[in-house]
Amino acid sequence: MIRVGIVGGTGYTGAELLRLLARHPLVSLTTITSRAEAGLAVADIFSHLRGRVDIAFTEPDIGRLGDCDLVFFATPNGTAMKMAPELLKRGVKLIDLAADFRLKDPREWERWYQEPHASPELLAEAVYGLPEVHREAIRGARLVANPGCYPTAVTLGFLPLLEQDLIEPDWLIADAKSGVSGAGRKASIGMLMAEVGESFKAYGVTGHRHQPEILQNLTQATGHALSLTFVPHLLPMIRGIEATLYARLRKSDCDLQSIYQARYSGEPYVDVMPAGACPDTRSVRGSNTCRIAVTEPLGQGVAVVQSVIDNLVKGAAGQAVQNMNLMFGFEETMALGDLALLP
Amino acid sequence: MIRVGIVGGTGYTGAELLRLLARHPLVSLTTITSRAEAGLAVADIFSHLRGRVDIAFTEPDIGRLGDCDLVFFATPNGTAMKMAPELLKRGVKLIDLAADFRLKDPREWERWYQEPHASPELLAEAVYGLPEVHREAIRGARLVANPGCYPTAVTLGFLPLLEQDLIEPDWLIADAKSGVSGAGRKASIGMLMAEVGESFKAYGVTGHRHQPEILQNLTQATGHALSLTFVPHLLPMIRGIEATLYARLRKSDCDLQSIYQARYSGEPYVDVMPAGACPDTRSVRGSNTCRIAVTEPLGQGVAVVQSVIDNLVKGAAGQAVQNMNLMFGFEETMALGDLALLP
Amino acid sequence: MIRVGIVGGTGYTGAELLRLLARHPLVSLTTITSRAEAGLAVADIFSHLRGRVDIAFTEPDIGRLGDCDLVFFATPNGTAMKMAPELLKRGVKLIDLAADFRLKDPREWERWYQEPHASPELLAEAVYGLPEVHREAIRGARLVANPGCYPTAVTLGFLPLLEQDLIEPDWLIADAKSGVSGAGRKASIGMLMAEVGESFKAYGVTGHRHQPEILQNLTQATGHALSLTFVPHLLPMIRGIEATLYARLRKSDCDLQSIYQARYSGEPYVDVMPAGACPDTRSVRGSNTCRIAVTEPLGQGVAVVQSVIDNLVKGAAGQAVQNMNLMFGFEETMALGDLALLP
Amino acid sequence: MIRVGIVGGTGYTGAELLRLLARHPLVSLTTITSRAEAGLAVADIFSHLRGRVDIAFTEPDIGRLGDCDLVFFATPNGTAMKMAPELLKRGVKLIDLAADFRLKDPREWERWYQEPHASPELLAEAVYGLPEVHREAIRGARLVANPGCYPTAVTLGFLPLLEQDLIEPDWLIADAKSGVSGAGRKASIGMLMAEVGESFKAYGVTGHRHQPEILQNLTQATGHALSLTFVPHLLPMIRGIEATLYARLRKSDCDLQSIYQARYSGEPYVDVMPAGACPDTRSVRGSNTCRIAVTEPLGQGVAVVQSVIDNLVKGAAGQAVQNMNLMFGFEETMALGDLALLP
């Protein structure tokens, strides 16, 4: 049984962590912080947790957090990097669900997040928490950078093509679509239902923060430079990401299906669908699975990959719990057994 | 005042035609047919037309249709091509909102629609009803093939790039997304709200009937062979298509914005947004406008075009009325002045 | 041609006024104000108005507003009552789409809106802008209080029963449901799509501001005291109100259908459906119609009335334009001819 | 470990049973039948079950079903009543999720379901599977009639008022709203997303099959005759029922809150919210909880109860598993521990 704290528990990622941790048999949630809601019971904000989560929000307190074995940061970007050094010094392991430790180059961080990095000395140590790539490093990590939602879907989708060097590196396309929960739980006109319901659009078309994170992942996989065009879109629904990926094949007779199946054959949370299938986001709603299909339409030399995840589970809280399980030697799938809620 | 008939008026395209024609000052709707609903008042199926459309469905009758000046086919694919010769012989002009006369090559039609073409001799005469390309030909046409919804959005999006020969022809990508009304009004499990609500997926990834239609349009625009990958997706909403288009620029210093604005400067139904903008489908909901934005993200040599339409208006009934206005010498914008219904 | 101004044009009601007025042949929109967005073009916020509305927001200025023939207030509650006296003095006619002049008793206003009324002397003069009840008074009015959305749907639904004294007055039930656009266009967590999508709940169950307004309307209709229980609910959709009304019939052999048809036979914007029908909100989406059905289920002595409107049209901007038409002697239906956008 | 079969597993109720049973530690699913899909793997229809449910649909076979300890009927109305006698004879316990054994009076069944009852001799024995009322009888039952979704929400909402004889019996109002999954998974135009999305309406206003079932429940609770008006509505969302109930209080000083809390204090799946709260359907999405609030708005003598459930869980499959747990002496909450999926 480990003692766990959550910093910043009033958002959707925090709520999803609560849902998953509430039934983890080896976790005791000892503290959850929120400056804005300190004193309020968690179940007063999230009525679905009534009777199951009886803890209240408190002010962040380094002493209480320092008593934890593990602290999750479900905070806005820029928070974890300021508190991490002190907590690590006290022997606490950390999983940051924000972006603070995802990019290896602090100048890149500053470029995309408009703020100097507060703990650049930790970037080399931080392990990027994508178990399908870094499982062994995660097991030994003190500090895990939990991947972004788009980067999880896009990286898992492109990975087999790049590791096998099957595609031309000079232009990869990732056309990604996300449900609105990806924008977080904060007051804004732009995410009102009357603004985003029954409508669809791209956003961040001139450059999105997840682009350098994805590019870093893909470059690591292939070992040489790549060019990636990444366009995110906003779906009129709550949960789910679908990424349709396009890349030019180097040669025409690859058995893409077998390559994908082989790459992910032992993975508990990647499901490669049969050739020609089209995974839908609802098939992973509430589950930690990434479901993938690959095809080469009309034999034209272009690989098309579809990758779906639940942005709050495999794209955030579920992957964080998967990482926790690895870091503490628990069974990797513990508390992550949910089947998707369909319909 | 012209006499107009509609064959197959119980679908969404038919209903939208009714909505638009109901206030057209120079149109008298004299007959609307439906085998399944013959005898039923239109307003008994579509209660929003109560008090405004007082006609009833009848069995299709060549005599009554032959008395019209114009007949719209809002039927499944394969119907118009069987009735067209007889109606043309009687001097009726025709606009087919299905696919029967869109492809110039009857073998292509047979390949994608699994049926020999019944009137191949009419294919050469049929004018493809995209006013932004074929306006003059439409004015003189007896038989107009109204474009598909995806082909309208994708063609208008790619056109300036191809006409100016700015992109490499060997692989164009069209990642398109449509609301569910595009699937029509027919009983099916797959389009139940409990199946497609709150979810998103690609479909037809191995080949979709609109691919050859789009390819035909784009090839005509550029005059040489192209390779196009087209992947349609299903949005959890009712109306609207967004297409995000990707193409590799031949050179890096194009003023894409000016090129698009110049191409569409005189067009009443194409609106080029400012650089960096992201058109949303709701901004064209119920209107005949196609709204477009173009950019080159991060200066990487890839043009990204976003194109949005209402699939039932500019993608079907609205464009059909625009074509009718041209064919009969009416003002092109007559009865098409609706602002989008937003929110 | 009249000169018209709008105070507070950045909300959904303001946008809907713009949509309707843009094609009104006898209206010239001369000014639209917004403190927050002064200087910004209207079409920069509402891209669906690009190319059709070319005016910009300005600071509210009593001089410019005083030059108008008519000013609409599409502001939060409590604004119009402060500006009205000065504008009336300058000979401007006013239509307030907020609640400031709806309640006749200033103490009631203060009780429900938590602020003393700033212009109680105008309450007697203000005409409640429900044309189906006060048409003649509206024609002569300087100051019209445009009804609330729920009160419009509920009042029109109950009216025939009360005017004919057919129901017991001691408890009327109005179970009303509204789309999210009714909550307005302002930043809030509670109206994020991730909060209100795919969910349904009542709200304001212990007392809602529209309750006294409805009660005032119903009491006027019947002339004696009534008891009304009004429970509003929030629908996971954008536009539309449905109110299901319950009342105990005094006697069992009323021909409810004929009574409703007779009451509304001359009304351009009330459509009584056939017995047993169930009007859906989409049948009035974007239109100014109120669609009503009445029945006595299982002959149990309880009348059930269903009443649907578009909360932004008949429930706000459309009714305001209808009132404007009456006040200026225009045809009552001018610029209000839209058929609903369905699907 | 018990052997369990499901008859009719291709609908939403069947899928939800599969989701819940897949992780039940004491259940072995041995057979699932579907005439239409015999031979197809369950996971080929429901991709969210890939890798977790590896059984295929088979033709219904009395021999294989007869080997089960328990058979669930997730079939259309009228199927279970024909197969039940033979299976009971073979010692199989039955839970029918359809309506066949819910009404005690076979003439009522015939009136509402338009078919004579095939096994009227079993109606007296069948236990109505609402654990909050019939827990002990369920433990000993061979044949359980699983309650309807609306009757579950409405009955639990009214129960404390009736058991304590607090309300006037002559007119109770139940205004109920359901997500579209309640209509089942079968091809129909009426339930297409383009028909029911972004819209709301009542249906069955002249009489719905759940009315006699609710009335039977409420009459049993109070011991005397009642009059109930029940109006169901269709919500533009997938899962969830909300029922707002209205009843006239006999006296004005009841402590409704305490009465509700006392009634349900020991119940694992009924959560009474604080006074003034408004439960939302999402707070029970995917969970077996019924969440209830009660109030007397404005002290007017009318009790207003709000009751929410997930129609597929507490309204169908979850309640069925709860009943199974009781019938076989398992812990009542086994496999039913899900927190709601929110957002």
Side-chain angles (χ1 to χ4, degrees):
Chain A
M1 190 73 111
I2 59 170
R3 287 160 305 161
V4 168
I6 299 176
V7 180
T10 60
Y12 296 131
T13 304
E16 195 68 354
L17 271 176
L18 288 166
R19 183 177 74 90
L20 296 172
L21 295 177
R23 58 183 169 182
H24 196 294
L26 300 177
V27 162
S28 168
L29 181 68
T30 59
T31 185
I32 181 164
T33 79
S34 162
R35 288 189 198 281
E37 306 294 356
L40 201 65
V42 167
D44 285 349
I45 291 188
F46 297 119
S47 60
H48 67 304
L49 302 177
R50 283 170 55 85
R52 297 286 291 278
V53 173
D54 55 6
I55 201 171
F57 294 107
T58 55
E59 293 277 348
D61 173 76
I62 203 76
R64 289 188 65 167
L65 292 169
D67 283 342
C68 294
D69 298 299
L70 172 70
V71 167
F72 291 99
F73 282 89
T75 43
N77 299 318
T79 303
M81 69 184 187
K82 299 188 183 91
M83 296 174 71
E86 176 63 25
L87 287 170
L88 289 172
K89 198 182 302 171
R90 296 182 183 219
V92 184
K93 294 186 179 184
L94 304 180
I95 298 177
D96 178 28
L97 285 87
D100 295 17
F101 299 102
R102 291 179 191 158
L103 298 181
K104 288 299 172 190
D105 181 344
R107 288 163 306 181
E108 275 289 286
W109 205 89
E110 184 167 349
R111 175 185 169 203
W112 289 94
Y113 294 91
Q114 268 99 48
E115 182 184 8
H117 201 284
S119 303
E121 72 286 359
L122 291 174
L123 292 178
E125 175 186 352
V127 176
Y128 189 76
L130 192 64
E132 291 77 6
V133 178
H134 302 292
R135 184 169 281 113
E136 286 316 306
I138 295 164
R139 286 194 217 272
R142 288 196 309 163
L143 171 57
V144 164
N146 213 59
C149 49
Y150 285 126
T152 296
V154 175
T155 303
L156 292 175
F158 269 131
L159 215 54
L161 292 175
L162 290 167
E163 289 174 346
Q164 302 290 323
D165 208 21
L166 297 174
I167 53 178
E168 296 186 5
D170 51 345
W171 63 297
L172 284 65
I173 307 288
D175 189 291
K177 303 91 177 174
S178 174
V180 295
S181 60
R185 188 172 168 276
K186 50 182 179 289
S188 83
I189 288 179
M191 301 304 289
L192 294 177
M193 182 159 178
E195 295 290 311
V196 294
E198 279 292 303
S199 191
F200 181 77
K201 64 171 181 179
Y203 66 98
V205 70
T206 55
H208 184 280
R209 290 166 168 183
H210 283 179
Q211 201 267 356
E213 181 181 342
I214 298 169
L215 196 60
Q216 176 178 283
N217 293 347
L218 301 186
T219 307
Q220 283 176 4
T222 190
H224 51 69
L226 294 167
S227 178
L228 167 74
T229 299
F230 167 65
V231 180
H233 299 72
L234 189 62
L235 286 165
M237 61 186 222
I238 297 175
R239 281 181 185 239
I241 280 180
E242 195 264 4
T244 304
L245 313 176
Y246 303 87
R248 190 169 197 169
L249 291 162
R250 286 185 188 280
K251 46 182 189 170
S252 63
D253 57 348
C254 312
D255 181 354
L256 296 174
Q257 186 68 22
S258 298
I259 289 165
Y260 272 70
Q261 286 177 342
R263 173 58 179 85
Y264 293 123
S265 65
E267 286 297 338
Y269 294 119
V270 182
D271 175 32
V272 179
M273 296 195 75
C278 292
D280 50 2
T281 60
R282 66 177 190 155
S283 80
V284 297
R285 181 165 50 218
S287 98
N288 199 46
T289 297
C290 174
R291 193 153 274 138
I292 293 180
V294 61
T295 190
E296 181 193 350
L298 305 174
Q300 297 188 147
V302 176
V304 174
V305 182
Q306 305 156 68
S307 172
V308 299
I309 60 169
D310 184 323
N311 55 302
L312 296 179
V313 189
K314 185 63 175 172
Q319 187 144 266
V321 170
Q322 190 179 357
N323 284 322
M324 176 192 76
N325 286 339
L326 289 168
M327 292 163 83
F328 287 88
F330 305 153
E331 188 154 3
E332 185 172 345
T333 58
M334 194 169 279
L336 291 172
D338 275 351
L339 283 165
L341 195 68
L342 177 158
Chain B
M1 190 75 110
I2 59 171
R3 286 160 305 160
V4 168
I6 299 175
V7 180
T10 60
Y12 297 130
T13 303
E16 196 68 354
L17 271 177
L18 289 166
R19 183 177 73 88
L20 296 172
L21 296 177
R23 52 172 171 195
H24 196 295
L26 300 178
V27 162
S28 167
L29 182 69
T30 59
T31 183
I32 181 165
T33 78
S34 162
R35 290 189 197 282
E37 307 293 355
L40 201 64
V42 167
D44 284 349
I45 291 189
F46 297 119
S47 60
H48 66 305
L49 303 178
R50 283 170 55 85
R52 297 285 290 276
V53 174
D54 55 5
I55 200 170
F57 294 107
T58 55
E59 293 278 346
D61 173 75
I62 204 75
R64 291 188 63 165
L65 292 169
D67 284 340
C68 295
D69 298 297
L70 171 70
V71 166
F72 291 99
F73 282 90
T75 42
N77 299 318
T79 301
M81 68 185 187
K82 301 191 181 88
M83 295 174 71
E86 177 62 24
L87 287 170
L88 289 172
K89 197 182 306 173
R90 296 182 184 220
V92 184
K93 294 186 179 185
L94 304 181
I95 298 177
D96 178 28
L97 287 86
D100 295 18
F101 298 102
R102 292 179 191 158
L103 298 181
K104 290 297 173 192
D105 180 344
R107 287 163 305 180
E108 276 289 287
W109 205 91
E110 183 167 351
R111 174 183 171 205
W112 289 96
Y113 295 90
Q114 268 100 49
E115 183 183 6
H117 200 285
S119 302
E121 73 284 1
L122 291 174
L123 292 178
E125 175 186 352
V127 176
Y128 190 76
L130 192 63
E132 291 78 7
V133 179
H134 302 291
R135 183 169 280 112
E136 287 316 307
I138 295 164
R139 287 194 216 272
R142 288 196 309 163
L143 170 57
V144 164
N146 213 57
C149 49
Y150 286 126
T152 297
V154 175
T155 302
L156 292 176
F158 269 131
L159 215 53
L161 293 174
L162 290 167
E163 289 175 346
Q164 301 289 324
D165 208 22
L166 298 174
I167 54 176
E168 297 187 3
D170 52 345
W171 64 295
L172 284 66
I173 306 289
D175 189 290
K177 305 89 176 174
S178 173
V180 296
S181 60
R185 187 171 171 275
K186 51 182 178 288
S188 84
I189 289 180
M191 301 305 289
L192 295 177
M193 180 159 180
E195 295 290 310
V196 294
E198 278 292 301
S199 191
F200 181 77
K201 65 170 181 180
Y203 66 98
V205 70
T206 55
H208 184 279
R209 291 166 168 184
H210 283 179
Q211 201 268 354
E213 181 181 341
I214 299 170
L215 196 60
Q216 176 178 283
N217 293 347
L218 302 186
T219 307
Q220 283 177 2
T222 189
H224 51 69
L226 294 167
S227 177
L228 167 74
T229 298
F230 167 67
V231 179
H233 300 72
L234 189 61
L235 286 166
M237 61 186 221
I238 296 176
R239 281 180 185 241
I241 280 180
E242 195 265 3
T244 305
L245 313 176
Y246 303 87
R248 190 170 196 168
L249 292 162
R250 287 184 187 281
K251 47 183 186 168
S252 60
D253 56 349
C254 314
D255 181 355
L256 297 174
Q257 186 68 25
S258 298
I259 290 165
Y260 272 69
Q261 285 177 343
R263 173 59 178 87
Y264 291 123
S265 65
E267 286 297 339
Y269 294 120
V270 182
D271 175 32
V272 179
M273 296 195 76
C278 292
D280 49 2
T281 60
R282 67 176 189 155
S283 79
V284 297
R285 181 166 48 220
S287 98
N288 199 45
T289 298
C290 174
R291 194 153 271 139
I292 293 181
V294 61
T295 190
E296 182 194 350
L298 305 173
Q300 296 187 144
V302 175
V304 174
V305 182
Q306 306 158 65
S307 172
V308 298
I309 59 169
D310 183 323
N311 55 302
L312 295 179
V313 189
K314 185 63 175 170
Q319 187 144 263
V321 171
Q322 189 179 357
N323 284 322
M324 175 192 77
N325 287 339
L326 290 168
M327 292 164 82
F328 287 88
F330 305 152
E331 188 154 4
E332 185 172 345
T333 59
M334 195 170 280
L336 291 172
D338 275 352
L339 284 164
L341 195 68
L342 177 157
Chain C
M1 190 75 109
I2 58 171
R3 286 160 304 159
V4 168
I6 299 176
V7 180
T10 60
Y12 297 130
T13 303
E16 195 68 354
L17 271 176
L18 288 166
R19 183 176 75 88
L20 296 172
L21 295 178
R23 51 167 172 198
H24 196 294
L26 299 177
V27 163
S28 168
L29 181 69
T30 58
T31 184
I32 182 165
T33 79
S34 163
R35 289 190 197 282
E37 308 293 356
L40 202 64
V42 166
D44 285 348
I45 291 189
F46 297 118
S47 59
H48 67 305
L49 302 178
R50 282 170 56 85
R52 297 286 290 277
V53 173
D54 55 6
I55 200 170
F57 293 107
T58 54
E59 293 277 347
D61 173 76
I62 204 76
R64 292 189 62 165
L65 292 170
D67 284 341
C68 294
D69 298 299
L70 172 71
V71 167
F72 291 100
F73 282 90
T75 43
N77 299 318
T79 302
M81 68 185 187
K82 300 189 182 89
M83 296 174 71
E86 177 62 24
L87 288 170
L88 289 172
K89 198 181 303 172
R90 297 182 183 220
V92 183
K93 295 187 180 185
L94 303 181
I95 298 178
D96 178 29
L97 286 86
D100 296 18
F101 299 102
R102 292 179 192 158
L103 298 181
K104 289 297 172 193
D105 180 345
R107 287 162 307 181
E108 275 289 286
W109 205 90
E110 182 166 351
R111 175 184 171 204
W112 288 95
Y113 295 90
Q114 268 99 48
E115 182 184 4
H117 201 285
S119 303
E121 73 284 1
L122 291 174
L123 292 178
E125 175 185 351
V127 176
Y128 189 76
L130 192 64
E132 292 77 7
V133 179
H134 302 292
R135 183 169 282 113
E136 286 316 305
I138 295 165
R139 288 195 216 272
R142 287 196 308 162
L143 170 57
V144 163
N146 213 58
C149 49
Y150 285 126
T152 296
V154 175
T155 302
L156 292 175
F158 269 131
L159 215 54
L161 293 174
L162 290 167
E163 289 175 345
Q164 301 290 324
D165 208 22
L166 297 174
I167 53 177
E168 298 187 4
D170 51 346
W171 64 295
L172 284 64
I173 306 288
D175 189 289
K177 305 89 175 175
S178 173
V180 295
S181 59
R185 187 171 169 276
K186 50 181 179 290
S188 84
I189 289 180
M191 301 306 288
L192 294 176
M193 181 159 178
E195 295 290 310
V196 294
E198 278 292 301
S199 191
F200 181 77
K201 64 171 181 180
Y203 66 99
V205 70
T206 55
H208 183 281
R209 290 165 168 183
H210 284 179
Q211 202 267 355
E213 181 181 342
I214 299 169
L215 196 59
Q216 176 178 282
N217 294 348
L218 302 186
T219 307
Q220 284 176 2
T222 188
H224 51 70
L226 294 167
S227 177
L228 167 74
T229 299
F230 166 66
V231 179
H233 300 72
L234 189 61
L235 286 166
M237 61 186 222
I238 296 175
R239 281 179 185 242
I241 281 181
E242 195 264 4
T244 305
L245 313 177
Y246 304 87
R248 191 169 195 169
L249 291 162
R250 286 183 187 282
K251 47 181 188 171
S252 61
D253 55 349
C254 314
D255 181 354
L256 296 174
Q257 186 68 25
S258 298
I259 290 165
Y260 272 70
Q261 286 176 342
R263 174 59 179 86
Y264 293 122
S265 64
E267 286 296 339
Y269 295 120
V270 182
D271 176 32
V272 178
M273 296 195 75
C278 292
D280 49 3
T281 60
R282 67 177 188 155
S283 80
V284 296
R285 181 166 48 220
S287 98
N288 199 46
T289 297
C290 174
R291 194 152 271 139
I292 294 180
V294 61
T295 190
E296 182 193 350
L298 305 174
Q300 296 187 146
V302 175
V304 174
V305 182
Q306 306 157 66
S307 173
V308 299
I309 60 169
D310 183 323
N311 54 301
L312 295 179
V313 190
K314 185 63 175 170
Q319 187 144 265
V321 171
Q322 190 179 358
N323 284 321
M324 176 192 77
N325 287 339
L326 290 168
M327 291 164 82
F328 287 88
F330 305 153
E331 188 154 5
E332 185 172 344
T333 58
M334 194 171 279
L336 291 172
D338 275 351
L339 283 165
L341 195 69
L342 176 156
Chain D
M1 191 72 113
I2 59 171
R3 286 161 304 161
V4 168
I6 299 175
V7 180
T10 60
Y12 297 130
T13 304
E16 196 67 355
L17 270 176
L18 289 166
R19 183 176 75 89
L20 296 173
L21 295 177
R23 57 182 170 182
H24 196 293
L26 300 178
V27 163
S28 167
L29 181 69
T30 59
T31 184
I32 182 163
T33 78
S34 163
R35 288 189 197 281
E37 307 293 356
L40 201 64
V42 167
D44 285 348
I45 290 189
F46 297 118
S47 61
H48 67 304
L49 302 178
R50 283 170 54 86
R52 297 285 291 277
V53 173
D54 55 5
I55 200 170
F57 293 107
T58 55
E59 293 277 347
D61 173 74
I62 203 75
R64 291 188 64 167
L65 291 170
D67 283 341
C68 294
D69 298 299
L70 172 70
V71 166
F72 291 99
F73 282 90
T75 43
N77 299 318
T79 303
M81 69 184 187
K82 300 190 183 90
M83 295 174 71
E86 177 63 23
L87 288 170
L88 289 173
K89 198 183 301 172
R90 296 182 184 220
V92 183
K93 295 185 180 185
L94 304 180
I95 298 177
D96 178 28
L97 286 86
D100 295 16
F101 298 102
R102 292 179 190 157
L103 298 181
K104 289 299 172 190
D105 180 344
R107 287 162 306 180
E108 276 287 287
W109 205 90
E110 183 167 350
R111 176 185 169 202
W112 289 95
Y113 296 90
Q114 267 101 48
E115 183 184 6
H117 202 285
S119 302
E121 72 286 359
L122 291 173
L123 291 178
E125 177 187 351
V127 176
Y128 190 75
L130 192 64
E132 292 77 7
V133 178
H134 302 291
R135 183 169 280 113
E136 286 318 304
I138 294 165
R139 287 194 217 273
R142 287 197 307 165
L143 170 57
V144 164
N146 213 58
C149 50
Y150 286 125
T152 297
V154 175
T155 303
L156 293 174
F158 269 131
L159 216 53
L161 292 174
L162 290 167
E163 290 174 345
Q164 301 290 323
D165 208 21
L166 298 173
I167 53 177
E168 295 186 5
D170 51 345
W171 65 297
L172 284 64
I173 307 288
D175 189 291
K177 304 90 177 175
S178 174
V180 296
S181 60
R185 187 172 171 276
K186 50 182 178 290
S188 84
I189 288 180
M191 301 305 290
L192 295 177
M193 182 159 177
E195 295 290 310
V196 293
E198 278 292 303
S199 191
F200 181 77
K201 64 170 181 179
Y203 66 98
V205 70
T206 55
H208 184 280
R209 290 166 169 183
H210 283 178
Q211 201 267 357
E213 181 181 342
I214 299 169
L215 196 60
Q216 178 177 282
N217 294 347
L218 301 185
T219 307
Q220 283 176 3
T222 190
H224 51 70
L226 294 166
S227 178
L228 167 75
T229 298
F230 167 67
V231 179
H233 300 71
L234 190 61
L235 286 165
M237 60 185 223
I238 297 176
R239 281 180 185 239
I241 281 179
E242 195 263 3
T244 305
L245 314 176
Y246 304 86
R248 191 169 197 170
L249 292 163
R250 286 185 187 281
K251 46 181 189 173
S252 61
D253 56 348
C254 312
D255 181 355
L256 296 174
Q257 185 68 23
S258 297
I259 289 165
Y260 272 71
Q261 286 178 343
R263 174 57 178 88
Y264 292 123
S265 65
E267 285 299 338
Y269 294 120
V270 183
D271 175 33
V272 179
M273 295 196 77
C278 292
D280 49 3
T281 60
R282 67 178 189 154
S283 80
V284 296
R285 181 166 47 218
S287 98
N288 199 45
T289 297
C290 174
R291 194 154 272 138
I292 294 179
V294 62
T295 190
E296 183 194 349
L298 306 173
Q300 296 187 147
V302 175
V304 174
V305 182
Q306 306 158 66
S307 172
V308 298
I309 60 169
D310 183 322
N311 55 301
L312 295 179
V313 190
K314 185 62 175 170
Q319 187 143 267
V321 171
Q322 189 179 359
N323 284 323
M324 176 193 77
N325 286 339
L326 289 168
M327 291 163 82
F328 286 89
F330 306 153
E331 189 155 3
E332 186 172 345
T333 59
M334 193 169 279
L336 291 172
D338 275 352
L339 284 164
L341 195 68
L342 177 158

